[in-house]
Amino acid sequence: MMDQAIKSYIEQMVRDALGQSVTSPSARTNYAIANWKMNKTFSEMAVYLQELKSKEGVSVVICPPSQLLYPAGLMAKQQGSTVSIGAQNVHEADKGAYTGEVSASMLKDIGCAYVIIGHSERRQYFNENDQQVNQKIKQAIKEGLTPIICIGETIEQKNSGQTEKVLTTQLVGALQDIDSDFILAYEPVWAIGTGESATAEQAQSTHAYIRKVLTALLGGRAEGISILYGGSVNDKNAAEFSQMPDIDGVLVGGASLNAESFEKIIAVFAKGDM
Ligand SMILES: O=C(CO)COP(=O)(O)O
């Protein structure tokens, strides 16, 4: 538990930061990240990677299930693709007796560059808490992986006006003693897999709030952090999100499983193509 005095101090910093305008979208990297979750076989992955064309001006990351991490990386390399590979989870320990788990150094060893940490499905089904998320981020950074840190509120939290409080708590918990770069993904739990995405305006206003919290926590470094939106993004609504100054890309579940759909989403976030 966070000390109450520290919490009040941070809350004051957030309030102070709310007065500042801090956005500078052109300086940040745009990302289109595919979270395949527990989907796709080896042959499905091979067909997909053959079909998928990446674009200049946007960093594309595919996060397949763990058995496909190595072959997907190999295949992308053989094809001369600029697509990077990311894992969907990592364990917080260096190594040891943790049956079924994978460490950050193992992910690095097989060519992963990114790792999703703190996805709401991990928090919900595997009881991951902010402290574990923080430890996983530290492990990832130690091994040179870029963490894709997920935060988001549930429908109950949203309806009871808790969104900002929940996001602030998740950010403060996740970012304790983190001084390396990361990617942040705002994924409202109520929008994941429901077909009901946040509107682009809703997402923009939450992203602007998140950036102000990041500014309070990290100072000017917050300017360079890419904040992605996730939750029922598809090839129809992606363009609206891309117009928003604080939305620097998307983390896509369902619509990323089809190479053609994901390619359309990638194109939307390619800087210079908009
Ligand atoms: O959880 C998500 C990405 O991490 C979003 O999933 P959907 O795009 O299927 O809503």
Side-chain angles (χ1 to χ4, degrees), residues 33-37 116 119-121 150 185 187-189 191-197 229-234 250-257:
I33 303 184
N35 177 7
W36 285 359
K37 308 190 180 183
I116 298 173
H119 192 281
S120 63
E121 286 152 15
C150 298
E187 297 206 304
V189 180
I192 294 178
T194 59
E196 301 234 353
S197 71
Y229 169 76
S232 295
V233 173
N234 57 42
V250 279
L251 178 54
V252 189
S256 77
L257 294 173

Short mmCIF file of all heavy atoms in Angstrom, two decimals, residues 33-37 116 119-121 150 185 187-189 191-197 229-234 250-257, ligand 1:
data_model
loop_
_atom_site.label_atom_id
_atom_site.label_comp_id
_atom_site.label_asym_id
_atom_site.label_seq_id
_atom_site.Cartn_x
_atom_site.Cartn_y
_atom_site.Cartn_z
N ILE A 33 -0.35 -1.92 -32.63
CA ILE A 33 0.08 -3.15 -31.94
C ILE A 33 -1.07 -4.16 -31.94
O ILE A 33 -2.21 -3.84 -31.58
CB ILE A 33 0.54 -2.84 -30.49
CG1 ILE A 33 1.68 -1.80 -30.54
CG2 ILE A 33 0.98 -4.13 -29.77
CD1 ILE A 33 2.30 -1.46 -29.20
N ALA A 34 -0.74 -5.37 -32.39
CA ALA A 34 -1.73 -6.45 -32.44
C ALA A 34 -1.56 -7.36 -31.23
O ALA A 34 -0.49 -7.90 -31.02
CB ALA A 34 -1.52 -7.27 -33.72
N ASN A 35 -2.62 -7.47 -30.44
CA ASN A 35 -2.63 -8.44 -29.33
C ASN A 35 -3.51 -9.60 -29.77
O ASN A 35 -4.74 -9.49 -29.75
CB ASN A 35 -3.19 -7.76 -28.07
CG ASN A 35 -3.28 -8.74 -26.91
OD1 ASN A 35 -2.83 -9.88 -27.00
ND2 ASN A 35 -3.88 -8.30 -25.81
N TRP A 36 -2.87 -10.69 -30.17
CA TRP A 36 -3.64 -11.84 -30.67
C TRP A 36 -4.29 -12.63 -29.53
O TRP A 36 -5.08 -13.53 -29.79
CB TRP A 36 -2.72 -12.78 -31.46
CG TRP A 36 -2.36 -12.28 -32.82
CD1 TRP A 36 -2.76 -11.11 -33.42
CD2 TRP A 36 -1.51 -12.93 -33.77
NE1 TRP A 36 -2.22 -11.01 -34.67
CE2 TRP A 36 -1.45 -12.11 -34.92
CE3 TRP A 36 -0.79 -14.13 -33.76
CZ2 TRP A 36 -0.70 -12.46 -36.04
CZ3 TRP A 36 -0.06 -14.48 -34.88
CH2 TRP A 36 -0.01 -13.65 -36.00
N LYS A 37 -3.93 -12.33 -28.30
CA LYS A 37 -4.45 -13.08 -27.14
C LYS A 37 -4.23 -14.58 -27.39
O LYS A 37 -3.21 -14.95 -27.96
CB LYS A 37 -5.91 -12.71 -26.88
CG LYS A 37 -6.08 -11.18 -26.78
CD LYS A 37 -7.41 -10.72 -26.29
CE LYS A 37 -7.44 -9.19 -26.25
NZ LYS A 37 -8.66 -8.65 -25.73
N ILE A 116 3.65 -6.84 -23.46
CA ILE A 116 2.45 -6.25 -22.86
C ILE A 116 2.46 -6.60 -21.37
O ILE A 116 2.70 -7.76 -21.00
CB ILE A 116 1.17 -6.83 -23.52
CG1 ILE A 116 1.12 -6.47 -25.00
CG2 ILE A 116 -0.08 -6.34 -22.79
CD1 ILE A 116 -0.02 -7.14 -25.78
N HIS A 119 -2.24 -6.22 -18.72
CA HIS A 119 -3.50 -6.24 -19.49
C HIS A 119 -4.65 -6.56 -18.53
O HIS A 119 -4.49 -7.34 -17.59
CB HIS A 119 -3.42 -7.29 -20.61
CG HIS A 119 -4.54 -7.16 -21.58
ND1 HIS A 119 -5.80 -7.64 -21.32
CD2 HIS A 119 -4.60 -6.58 -22.81
CE1 HIS A 119 -6.59 -7.36 -22.35
NE2 HIS A 119 -5.88 -6.72 -23.27
N SER A 120 -5.81 -5.97 -18.78
CA SER A 120 -6.94 -6.16 -17.84
C SER A 120 -7.33 -7.63 -17.73
O SER A 120 -7.85 -8.05 -16.68
CB SER A 120 -8.14 -5.31 -18.26
OG SER A 120 -8.60 -5.73 -19.52
N GLU A 121 -7.09 -8.42 -18.79
CA GLU A 121 -7.42 -9.86 -18.68
C GLU A 121 -6.46 -10.55 -17.71
O GLU A 121 -6.85 -11.49 -17.01
CB GLU A 121 -7.38 -10.50 -20.08
CG GLU A 121 -8.61 -10.07 -20.89
CD GLU A 121 -8.40 -10.05 -22.40
OE1 GLU A 121 -7.41 -10.63 -22.88
OE2 GLU A 121 -9.24 -9.45 -23.09
N CYS A 150 -0.58 -1.58 -19.67
CA CYS A 150 -2.02 -1.38 -19.87
C CYS A 150 -2.70 -0.91 -18.58
O CYS A 150 -2.46 -1.47 -17.51
CB CYS A 150 -2.69 -2.69 -20.30
SG CYS A 150 -2.06 -3.32 -21.85
N ALA A 185 -0.85 1.95 -22.73
CA ALA A 185 -2.10 1.68 -23.46
C ALA A 185 -3.28 1.89 -22.53
O ALA A 185 -3.36 1.25 -21.47
CB ALA A 185 -2.11 0.25 -24.00
N GLU A 187 -6.86 1.09 -22.02
CA GLU A 187 -7.86 0.14 -22.51
C GLU A 187 -9.01 0.07 -21.50
O GLU A 187 -8.93 -0.70 -20.52
CB GLU A 187 -7.25 -1.25 -22.67
CG GLU A 187 -6.13 -1.32 -23.69
CD GLU A 187 -5.98 -2.71 -24.27
OE1 GLU A 187 -5.80 -3.68 -23.51
OE2 GLU A 187 -6.08 -2.85 -25.50
N PRO A 188 -10.06 0.86 -21.72
CA PRO A 188 -11.21 0.76 -20.82
C PRO A 188 -11.77 -0.66 -20.88
O PRO A 188 -12.04 -1.17 -21.97
CB PRO A 188 -12.20 1.79 -21.37
CG PRO A 188 -11.73 2.18 -22.72
CD PRO A 188 -10.28 1.82 -22.83
N VAL A 189 -11.92 -1.29 -19.72
CA VAL A 189 -12.31 -2.71 -19.69
C VAL A 189 -13.66 -2.91 -20.37
O VAL A 189 -13.87 -3.90 -21.07
CB VAL A 189 -12.34 -3.21 -18.22
CG1 VAL A 189 -12.74 -4.67 -18.15
CG2 VAL A 189 -10.97 -3.01 -17.57
N ALA A 191 -14.75 -1.58 -22.92
CA ALA A 191 -14.68 -1.49 -24.39
C ALA A 191 -13.97 -2.68 -25.01
O ALA A 191 -13.97 -2.84 -26.24
CB ALA A 191 -13.97 -0.20 -24.79
N ILE A 192 -13.37 -3.53 -24.18
CA ILE A 192 -12.57 -4.64 -24.72
C ILE A 192 -13.47 -5.79 -25.16
O ILE A 192 -14.23 -6.35 -24.35
CB ILE A 192 -11.54 -5.14 -23.67
CG1 ILE A 192 -10.52 -4.03 -23.39
CG2 ILE A 192 -10.87 -6.42 -24.13
CD1 ILE A 192 -9.49 -4.38 -22.34
N GLY A 193 -13.40 -6.09 -26.45
CA GLY A 193 -14.12 -7.25 -26.98
C GLY A 193 -15.63 -7.10 -26.98
O GLY A 193 -16.36 -8.06 -27.17
N THR A 194 -16.13 -5.88 -26.75
CA THR A 194 -17.57 -5.68 -26.64
C THR A 194 -18.17 -5.11 -27.92
O THR A 194 -19.39 -5.07 -28.07
CB THR A 194 -17.89 -4.69 -25.50
OG1 THR A 194 -17.22 -3.45 -25.78
CG2 THR A 194 -17.43 -5.23 -24.16
N GLY A 195 -17.31 -4.60 -28.81
CA GLY A 195 -17.83 -3.91 -29.99
C GLY A 195 -18.24 -2.47 -29.66
O GLY A 195 -18.65 -1.72 -30.53
N GLU A 196 -18.13 -2.09 -28.39
CA GLU A 196 -18.50 -0.73 -27.97
C GLU A 196 -17.24 0.03 -27.59
O GLU A 196 -16.86 0.08 -26.42
CB GLU A 196 -19.40 -0.80 -26.73
CG GLU A 196 -20.65 -1.57 -26.96
CD GLU A 196 -21.90 -0.77 -26.61
OE1 GLU A 196 -21.76 0.33 -26.07
OE2 GLU A 196 -22.98 -1.28 -26.91
N SER A 197 -16.59 0.62 -28.59
CA SER A 197 -15.37 1.36 -28.28
C SER A 197 -15.73 2.67 -27.59
O SER A 197 -16.87 3.12 -27.68
CB SER A 197 -14.61 1.66 -29.57
OG SER A 197 -15.30 2.62 -30.30
N TYR A 229 -4.67 3.83 -27.61
CA TYR A 229 -6.01 3.46 -27.18
C TYR A 229 -6.28 2.01 -27.58
O TYR A 229 -5.87 1.57 -28.66
CB TYR A 229 -7.08 4.38 -27.83
CG TYR A 229 -8.46 3.82 -27.58
CD1 TYR A 229 -9.06 3.96 -26.33
CD2 TYR A 229 -9.12 3.06 -28.55
CE1 TYR A 229 -10.29 3.39 -26.06
CE2 TYR A 229 -10.35 2.48 -28.29
CZ TYR A 229 -10.93 2.65 -27.05
OH TYR A 229 -12.14 2.06 -26.77
N GLY A 230 -6.96 1.27 -26.71
CA GLY A 230 -7.37 -0.09 -27.04
C GLY A 230 -8.78 -0.36 -26.54
O GLY A 230 -9.17 0.12 -25.47
N GLY A 231 -9.53 -1.13 -27.31
CA GLY A 231 -10.90 -1.48 -26.92
C GLY A 231 -11.82 -1.34 -28.11
O GLY A 231 -12.25 -0.24 -28.45
N SER A 232 -12.06 -2.48 -28.80
CA SER A 232 -12.96 -2.52 -29.96
C SER A 232 -12.54 -1.56 -31.08
O SER A 232 -13.38 -0.99 -31.78
CB SER A 232 -14.41 -2.26 -29.54
OG SER A 232 -14.86 -3.30 -28.70
N VAL A 233 -11.23 -1.42 -31.27
CA VAL A 233 -10.74 -0.66 -32.43
C VAL A 233 -10.89 -1.55 -33.66
O VAL A 233 -10.63 -2.75 -33.61
CB VAL A 233 -9.25 -0.28 -32.26
CG1 VAL A 233 -8.70 0.35 -33.54
CG2 VAL A 233 -9.07 0.66 -31.07
N ASN A 234 -11.34 -0.95 -34.77
CA ASN A 234 -11.43 -1.72 -36.02
C ASN A 234 -11.06 -0.83 -37.20
O ASN A 234 -10.70 0.35 -37.00
CB ASN A 234 -12.84 -2.32 -36.17
CG ASN A 234 -13.92 -1.27 -36.14
OD1 ASN A 234 -13.77 -0.19 -36.73
ND2 ASN A 234 -15.01 -1.55 -35.43
N VAL A 250 -2.75 2.50 -31.54
CA VAL A 250 -3.80 1.62 -31.00
C VAL A 250 -3.24 0.24 -30.63
O VAL A 250 -2.27 -0.23 -31.24
CB VAL A 250 -4.96 1.43 -32.03
CG1 VAL A 250 -5.90 2.62 -31.98
CG2 VAL A 250 -4.44 1.22 -33.44
N LEU A 251 -3.87 -0.36 -29.65
CA LEU A 251 -3.60 -1.74 -29.26
C LEU A 251 -4.87 -2.52 -29.62
O LEU A 251 -5.94 -2.25 -29.06
CB LEU A 251 -3.29 -1.81 -27.75
CG LEU A 251 -3.02 -3.18 -27.14
CD1 LEU A 251 -1.92 -3.93 -27.87
CD2 LEU A 251 -2.65 -3.04 -25.66
N VAL A 252 -4.74 -3.42 -30.56
CA VAL A 252 -5.93 -4.02 -31.19
C VAL A 252 -6.02 -5.51 -30.90
O VAL A 252 -5.04 -6.24 -31.10
CB VAL A 252 -5.88 -3.80 -32.73
CG1 VAL A 252 -7.21 -4.20 -33.36
CG2 VAL A 252 -5.54 -2.36 -33.07
N GLY A 253 -7.18 -5.95 -30.45
CA GLY A 253 -7.41 -7.38 -30.23
C GLY A 253 -8.05 -8.01 -31.45
O GLY A 253 -7.39 -8.30 -32.44
N GLY A 254 -9.36 -8.19 -31.40
CA GLY A 254 -10.11 -8.92 -32.42
C GLY A 254 -9.78 -8.52 -33.86
O GLY A 254 -9.52 -9.38 -34.71
N ALA A 255 -9.76 -7.21 -34.13
CA ALA A 255 -9.57 -6.76 -35.52
C ALA A 255 -8.14 -6.96 -36.00
O ALA A 255 -7.86 -6.83 -37.19
CB ALA A 255 -9.96 -5.29 -35.66
N SER A 256 -7.22 -7.30 -35.09
CA SER A 256 -5.84 -7.53 -35.52
C SER A 256 -5.63 -8.97 -36.00
O SER A 256 -4.58 -9.32 -36.52
CB SER A 256 -4.85 -7.24 -34.37
OG SER A 256 -4.85 -8.30 -33.44
N LEU A 257 -6.65 -9.82 -35.82
CA LEU A 257 -6.50 -11.23 -36.20
C LEU A 257 -6.60 -11.42 -37.70
O LEU A 257 -6.19 -12.44 -38.24
CB LEU A 257 -7.56 -12.08 -35.49
CG LEU A 257 -7.42 -12.15 -33.96
CD1 LEU A 257 -8.61 -12.86 -33.34
CD2 LEU A 257 -6.11 -12.84 -33.57
O1 LIG B 1 -7.68 -6.07 -25.26
C1 LIG B 1 -7.48 -5.51 -26.32
C2 LIG B 1 -6.12 -5.35 -26.84
O2 LIG B 1 -5.17 -5.60 -25.87
C3 LIG B 1 -8.60 -5.00 -27.15
O3 LIG B 1 -9.33 -6.08 -27.60
P1 LIG B 1 -10.44 -5.83 -28.73
O4 LIG B 1 -9.78 -5.00 -29.80
O5 LIG B 1 -10.82 -7.20 -29.20
O6 LIG B 1 -11.56 -5.08 -28.07
#
